Amino acid sequence: MKKELFKLALHGLKGKKRSSLLTVIILTISFAAVLVTLCITGSIIKTNAEYRLNTYGAWYGAIPYGIEGDAEFLSTVNGIGEIGAATVYGQAVSKSGVAVTSVGSADGNLLKIGRIELQDGEFPQHDSEIALEASALSKLGKNYTIGQEISFTVLFDAESEESVEGIKIPVECTFTLCGVLREYSSLWQLSENKLSKPICGALITNTAGENLRTKAIETAAQMNEQSTAGAAHVSVAAANRQFFFEVDEAERGQAAESINAYMQKTRRGTNADKAVCINTAAFSDKGEANYHSFYICLILAVTVIAVVCIYAVQLRKQVRGIALFRSIGITKRQLRLLLTFETLILCLPALGAGTLLGTIITKLILKLFVYAKSAPVQVDVPLSQLAVTALCWIAGIFAARMTVFRIALSEPLTGRMHTARRRAHAFEVFRRTAVVLLAAVFCGAVIFGILESLYPRADMHKWQNQPAYVLNAESSEVAFISSLDCMIKVASPSVMHGRI
């Protein structure tokens, strides 16, 4: 019997294609509107989180001054994921002595978890190639043309048994520009970097870096030969190794404690950093989507009232249809089951189409009116809230259909099969009231949704207004060149923030 009733319901809906299609379209739009209202706040928060990761890197912790054994220890800590490494060889300066950026190499893991991307070109594949940040090219007075020759001086740190603070060993070098990097070196925040070790914004191959260091060692040897009696002999300091790593969210607190304990132990008695740097700029704990119970109830009210309005519009026609089935001898139980099949046939396609349409509309709203291509839009669909909403949405439709069913049962079976004038007037009043109530509740949901999105929007503007690069302007005491013409002491530059 159920199979026959299902076929009868399907056949009945096919017989009134226009009405059935209109109902499915209205139900689809109804659920899409509910989904948009439910997803907008979480989507903004998720997009902001993705924007921060793209800007400040997806690494959770960093050791800006690494020593032997750090990488091996990090690989044993619970929760540690990918570990990226960088080697910083020296500081690049222009011909006029302007500080440009640090020169070094980065492995594939660091490029991945740091989300270091190219604006143009490719990463260095040959020892003669270099990839520079856009701001570094501007400081060198160069455009972004791939393939051009880039010449500058690399200053290597010098070390000696005696104090040689500020002494640098210069090496002249020329590379071919193979890529323009998106800004990152001045944006990454290393909070526990007590030694102020810089992040390299000029990437070369490891072999090229070692070749430069070999030249620096030769220059240091010449400096020692030319130095006067009693002068301190200098050597080239070791290249600085840096480690950046991911940590599972559940293990972050314990992992930070373990790494800090290790650093306190291994750096004891030195000036080296004794605490891990946490990427608080990218991993903010303030951006979680909290769906208030009032908000959920408001959305559900919109859903139920919208469904009631849909069926209130066609109330008279549905009463006539039910009365017609009663006249041919269908029992109340069979009629109730028939209405259930009809409702499911209409609701399930509308549910799937509404979910897809709501997701697309949410993405378009964020892309066109909120972010305007400033960040890759991420749509966050809260599955648990969506499941509850979908169940209430279907329950509301069933409730509306059953209400019509009960009204039809109370109607006398007449040849004309229509409601009495007084009851028809009551139906019209009910329909208008439902429409007005729907408009009022929907407006309330929209206003509340806008208020809910104010914080994540303000959060987005905060990160967008951060400086994209830092220009180090020369002071009147930029550099001092010793009588050896190869020992350069660079004074502390002034800092000016700017945006691209």
Side-chain angles (χ1 to χ4, degrees):
M1 178 59 69
K2 291 182 179 179
K3 187 175 181 180
E4 285 75 13
L5 287 175
F6 179 80
K7 290 181 179 179
L8 181 60
L10 189 59
H11 180 74
L13 293 175
K14 287 182 179 179
K16 45 183 180 181
K17 290 182 180 179
R18 293 182 62 183
S19 177
S20 300
L21 182 60
L22 177 61
T23 303
V24 171
I25 292 174
I26 294 174
L27 291 175
T28 299
I29 295 174
S30 167
F31 193 76
V34 170
L35 186 67
V36 171
T37 309
L38 186 64
C39 294
I40 196 73
T41 300
S43 297
I44 292 177
I45 291 174
K46 187 174 181 179
T47 302
N48 284 350
E50 193 70 13
Y51 180 77
R52 290 196 301 271
L53 292 177
N54 287 341
T55 304
Y56 301 100
W59 53 274
Y60 179 76
I63 300 177
Y65 181 63
I67 62 176
E68 185 177 356
D70 285 352
E72 182 179 356
F73 172 78
L74 289 174
S75 64
T76 65
V77 178
N78 290 334
I80 296 289
E82 296 283 355
I83 301 174
T87 303
V88 181
Y89 294 99
Q91 179 77 16
V93 296
S94 65
K95 296 297 184 180
S96 60
V98 176
V100 177
T101 187
S102 293
V103 180
S105 61
D107 63 10
N109 284 344
L110 180 56
L111 298 180
K112 177 183 175 182
I113 66 176
R115 300 200 179 185
I116 301 174
E117 296 180 356
L118 292 158
Q119 292 181 194
D120 192 15
E122 59 183 9
F123 290 104
Q125 302 294 326
H126 305 286
D127 298 340
S128 60
E129 295 178 336
I130 189 171
L132 283 161
E133 289 180 310
S135 61
L137 286 169
S138 298
K139 294 174 186 178
L140 290 171
K142 300 290 185 178
N143 56 31
Y144 302 159
T145 303
I146 302 299
Q148 64 178 308
E149 297 296 319
I150 304 291
S151 298
F152 52 87
T153 301
V154 179
L155 302 181
F156 286 79
D157 290 332
E159 59 183 10
S160 173
E161 294 180 357
E162 301 180 19
S163 175
V164 291
E165 183 179 354
I167 301 300
K168 305 291 183 181
I169 301 173
V171 173
E172 300 292 330
C173 60
T174 301
F175 290 96
T176 300
L177 183 66
C178 66
V180 179
L181 300 170
R182 191 181 66 182
E183 301 296 325
Y184 68 92
S185 65
S186 61
L187 298 176
W188 290 8
Q189 300 180 15
L190 303 176
S191 56
E192 300 297 328
N193 187 11
K194 305 303 181 183
L195 297 180
S196 301
K197 294 296 182 180
I199 300 170
C200 53
L203 298 181
I204 56 177
T205 64
N206 286 322
T207 303
E210 292 301 326
N211 291 340
L212 287 177
R213 191 167 185 276
T214 300
K215 293 180 180 179
I217 293 173
E218 295 173 356
T219 302
Q222 295 176 5
M223 292 166 53
N224 293 328
E225 291 177 0
Q226 299 175 12
S227 61
T228 58
H233 282 218
V234 297
S235 60
V236 180
N240 179 37
R241 290 279 286 171
Q242 299 178 340
F243 300 99
F244 300 82
F245 49 87
E246 297 176 322
V247 184
D248 295 338
E249 186 174 0
E251 302 287 344
R252 286 173 183 171
Q254 186 63 39
E257 291 180 6
S258 300
I259 298 172
N260 286 338
Y262 161 79
M263 294 183 70
Q264 288 283 347
K265 180 180 179 181
T266 55
R267 273 77 166 172
R268 186 174 299 165
T270 69
N271 293 326
D273 303 331
K274 295 181 174 63
V276 65
C277 299
I278 304 299
N279 192 358
T280 55
F283 294 92
S284 173
D285 58 355
K286 299 179 180 179
E288 297 181 0
N290 297 315
Y291 298 96
H292 303 288
S293 56
F294 173 74
Y295 196 25
I296 298 297
C297 292
L298 199 60
I299 294 172
L300 296 181
V302 172
T303 303
V304 173
I305 296 174
V307 170
V308 171
C309 287
I310 291 170
Y311 285 100
V313 172
Q314 298 180 332
L315 189 58
R316 294 182 184 178
K317 185 180 295 186
Q318 293 179 69
V319 169
R320 294 192 191 102
I322 293 173
L324 179 61
F325 280 118
R326 288 178 59 203
S327 67
I328 62 176
I330 293 183
T331 64
K332 293 181 181 179
R333 182 177 177 278
Q334 291 172 340
L335 189 54
R336 191 179 291 110
L337 191 57
L338 179 66
L339 292 177
T340 300
F341 285 140
E342 284 187 358
T343 303
L344 289 176
I345 294 172
L346 292 173
C347 286
L348 294 182
L351 191 64
T355 302
L356 179 60
L357 180 61
T359 302
I360 294 174
I361 292 175
T362 301
K363 189 168 185 177
L364 287 176
I365 290 174
L366 295 178
K367 200 168 185 178
L368 296 177
F369 300 106
V370 180
Y371 292 97
K373 300 181 180 179
S374 63
V377 172
Q378 303 290 319
V379 178
D380 178 47
V381 180
L383 297 180
S384 58
Q385 286 82 2
L386 180 63
V388 173
T389 303
L391 289 175
C392 292
W393 182 77
I394 294 175
I397 296 175
F398 271 108
R401 294 301 303 268
M402 291 302 120
T403 301
V404 174
F405 174 67
R406 296 185 64 86
I407 293 173
L409 291 180
S410 65
E411 289 295 316
L413 291 177
T414 64
R416 298 178 62 184
M417 293 184 187
H418 63 80
T419 57
R421 181 175 299 178
R422 181 179 300 178
R423 192 178 292 273
H425 177 69
F427 289 163
E428 184 64 22
V429 172
F430 171 75
R431 185 184 67 81
R432 292 180 180 179
T433 303
V435 172
V436 173
L437 186 60
L438 172 63
V441 177
F442 184 75
C443 289
V446 171
I447 293 172
F448 194 85
I450 293 173
L451 294 177
E452 281 287 285
S453 66
L454 287 181
Y455 168 74
R457 280 181 60 84
D459 189 49
M460 175 192 69
H461 289 301
K462 171 187 174 182
W463 298 117
Q464 285 182 335
N465 290 330
Q466 292 290 324
Y469 61 87
V470 177
L471 293 179
N472 293 317
E474 291 183 275
S475 66
S476 58
E477 300 178 0
V478 172
F480 169 75
I481 302 179
S482 71
S483 58
L484 297 175
D485 292 330
C486 36
M487 304 175 77
I488 301 179
K489 184 174 182 179
V490 180
S492 299
S494 58
V495 178
M496 178 173 64
H497 295 279
R499 290 192 62 80
I500 290 179

